[in-house]
Amino acid sequence: MICFNVMLASAKVIEDPDRGSGMFEYYLDATIQLHNLSYNKQAGVLINVDGIWRKIYTLYSHSLLTGGGNMVEVWKTRDFELLKKIDIHPEPRLKPSFSFAVFYHNLDQANWYWDNNYGHNYLVTAQ
Protein backbone atom coordinates (compact mmCIF):
# COMPACT_ATOMS: atom_id res chain seq x y z
CA MET A 1 0.00 0.00 0.00
CA ILE A 2 1.28 3.45 -0.91
CA CYS A 3 1.01 5.81 2.06
CA PHE A 4 2.01 9.04 0.29
CA ASN A 5 0.77 11.08 -2.64
CA VAL A 6 4.00 13.03 -3.13
CA MET A 7 7.41 12.70 -1.49
CA LEU A 8 10.91 14.01 -1.93
CA ALA A 9 13.28 11.37 -3.29
CA SER A 10 16.43 13.53 -3.55
CA ALA A 11 17.55 17.14 -3.84
CA LYS A 12 20.85 18.91 -4.13
CA VAL A 13 22.08 22.33 -5.13
CA ILE A 14 25.16 22.30 -7.31
CA GLU A 15 27.65 25.17 -7.37
CA ASP A 16 29.16 25.91 -10.78
CA PRO A 17 31.86 28.58 -11.12
CA ASP A 18 31.51 30.54 -14.35
CA ARG A 19 34.98 32.03 -14.54
CA GLY A 20 34.12 34.01 -17.66
CA SER A 21 31.48 36.07 -15.86
CA GLY A 22 33.14 35.98 -12.42
CA MET A 23 30.01 34.47 -10.90
CA PHE A 24 29.03 31.27 -9.11
CA GLU A 25 25.83 29.76 -10.48
CA TYR A 26 23.64 27.56 -8.28
CA TYR A 27 21.44 24.87 -9.82
CA LEU A 28 18.70 22.69 -8.33
CA ASP A 29 18.71 18.97 -9.11
CA ALA A 30 15.61 17.36 -7.55
CA THR A 31 13.65 14.12 -7.87
CA ILE A 32 10.18 13.52 -6.43
CA GLN A 33 7.88 10.51 -6.40
CA LEU A 34 4.10 10.60 -6.95
CA HIS A 35 1.25 8.24 -6.36
CA ASN A 36 -0.52 8.49 -9.71
CA LEU A 37 -4.00 9.81 -8.87
CA SER A 38 -4.79 11.62 -12.12
CA TYR A 39 -3.97 11.91 -15.79
CA ASN A 40 -3.63 15.71 -15.73
CA LYS A 41 -1.12 16.84 -13.12
CA GLN A 42 1.73 19.14 -12.27
CA ALA A 43 4.52 18.40 -9.85
CA GLY A 44 7.45 20.40 -8.63
CA VAL A 45 9.38 22.21 -5.95
CA LEU A 46 8.43 25.40 -4.12
CA ILE A 47 11.78 26.89 -3.09
CA ASN A 48 12.79 30.04 -1.23
CA VAL A 49 15.51 31.98 -3.07
CA ASP A 50 16.60 35.12 -1.20
CA GLY A 51 13.22 35.51 0.52
CA ILE A 52 11.16 34.94 -2.65
CA TRP A 53 9.25 31.67 -3.11
CA ARG A 54 9.72 30.22 -6.63
CA LYS A 55 7.77 27.37 -8.16
CA ILE A 56 9.96 25.03 -10.23
CA TYR A 57 8.09 22.41 -12.22
CA THR A 58 9.41 18.90 -12.71
CA LEU A 59 8.96 16.57 -15.68
CA TYR A 60 7.88 12.93 -15.74
CA SER A 61 10.91 10.63 -15.93
CA HIS A 62 9.71 7.05 -15.44
CA SER A 63 7.61 4.73 -13.26
CA LEU A 64 8.82 2.33 -10.59
CA LEU A 65 7.24 -0.87 -9.32
CA THR A 66 7.25 -0.86 -5.52
CA GLY A 67 7.74 -3.88 -3.28
CA GLY A 68 3.98 -3.92 -2.62
CA GLY A 69 3.23 -4.27 -6.34
CA ASN A 70 2.17 -0.62 -6.78
CA MET A 71 3.54 1.87 -9.28
CA VAL A 72 4.97 5.28 -8.40
CA GLU A 73 5.95 7.97 -10.87
CA VAL A 74 9.37 9.59 -10.74
CA TRP A 75 9.53 13.27 -11.71
CA LYS A 76 12.74 15.33 -12.06
CA THR A 77 13.81 18.92 -12.59
CA ARG A 78 14.89 19.75 -16.13
CA ASP A 79 18.64 19.26 -16.56
CA PHE A 80 19.55 21.69 -13.79
CA GLU A 81 17.33 24.60 -12.78
CA LEU A 82 19.25 27.87 -12.19
CA LEU A 83 18.45 29.32 -8.77
CA LYS A 84 20.82 32.23 -8.42
CA LYS A 85 24.19 33.75 -9.25
CA ILE A 86 26.61 35.38 -6.83
CA ASP A 87 29.95 37.12 -7.31
CA ILE A 88 32.99 34.85 -6.99
CA HIS A 89 34.80 37.52 -4.95
CA PRO A 90 35.28 38.20 -2.10
CA GLU A 91 36.60 35.00 -0.57
CA PRO A 92 35.81 33.32 1.80
CA ARG A 93 32.05 33.14 1.41
CA LEU A 94 29.26 31.03 2.81
CA LYS A 95 27.54 28.64 0.44
CA PRO A 96 23.85 29.50 0.14
CA SER A 97 21.10 27.35 1.64
CA PHE A 98 17.56 27.00 0.32
CA SER A 99 14.32 26.07 2.09
CA PHE A 100 11.78 24.13 0.02
CA ALA A 101 8.80 21.77 -0.17
CA VAL A 102 7.58 19.52 -3.00
CA PHE A 103 4.07 19.47 -4.45
CA TYR A 104 1.71 17.49 -6.66
CA HIS A 105 -1.28 19.31 -8.16
CA ASN A 106 -4.00 16.91 -9.31
CA LEU A 107 -5.60 19.03 -12.05
CA ASP A 108 -8.48 16.59 -12.62
CA GLN A 109 -9.81 17.02 -9.08
CA ALA A 110 -8.15 20.37 -8.21
CA ASN A 111 -6.36 18.80 -5.20
CA TRP A 112 -2.91 19.79 -3.92
CA TYR A 113 -0.58 17.39 -2.10
CA TRP A 114 2.56 18.52 -0.27
CA ASP A 115 5.67 17.03 1.28
CA ASN A 116 7.12 19.75 3.49
CA ASN A 117 9.16 17.64 5.91
CA TYR A 118 6.33 17.43 8.46
CA GLY A 119 5.81 21.19 8.50
CA HIS A 120 9.49 22.14 8.83
CA ASN A 121 10.35 22.46 5.11
CA TYR A 122 13.45 20.83 3.67
CA LEU A 123 16.79 22.64 3.71
CA VAL A 124 19.58 22.09 1.22
CA THR A 125 23.00 23.79 1.11
CA ALA A 126 25.00 24.14 -2.08
CA GLN A 127 27.69 21.52 -2.65
Side-chain angles (χ1 to χ4, degrees):
M1 177 177 169
I2 297 175
C3 59
F4 66 89
N5 290 321
V6 61
M7 99 177 167
L8 176 67
S10 67
K12 62 183 172 182
V13 172
I14 298 164
E15 177 183 82
D16 182 30
D18 182 352
R19 302 287 181 204
S21 68
M23 305 290 280
F24 279 110
E25 298 176 338
Y26 294 92
Y27 295 91
L28 176 65
D29 180 16
T31 303
I32 61 178
Q33 294 178 349
L34 308 179
H35 179 190
N36 184 7
L37 300 175
S38 64
Y39 179 75
N40 295 305
K41 64 185 129 253
Q42 296 173 328
V45 177
L46 187 64
I47 190 164
N48 190 317
V49 180
D50 296 332
I52 298 169
W53 288 95
R54 277 184 55 194
K55 195 179 291 182
I56 298 174
Y57 291 99
T58 54
L59 300 172
Y60 173 82
S61 174
H62 61 281
S63 293
L64 292 174
L65 182 62
T66 67
N70 296 306
M71 296 293 287
V72 294
E73 293 181 352
V74 177
W75 290 57
K76 296 183 177 194
T77 50
R78 292 171 289 230
D79 298 325
F80 292 112
E81 189 72 36
L82 180 63
L83 295 175
K84 72 181 287 180
K85 294 182 178 186
I86 63 170
D87 196 338
I88 286 177
H89 300 291
E91 291 284 345
R93 62 178 168 57
L94 295 175
K95 294 190 181 214
S97 294
F98 303 89
S99 174
F100 69 97
V102 296
F103 67 88
Y104 167 16
H105 186 191
N106 176 335
L107 297 170
D108 293 335
Q109 298 173 356
N111 292 329
W112 287 84
Y113 304 98
W114 293 90
D115 177 5
N116 64 355
N117 194 23
Y118 300 101
H120 300 288
N121 288 337
Y122 290 99
L123 185 67
V124 64
T125 301
Q127 298 179 357

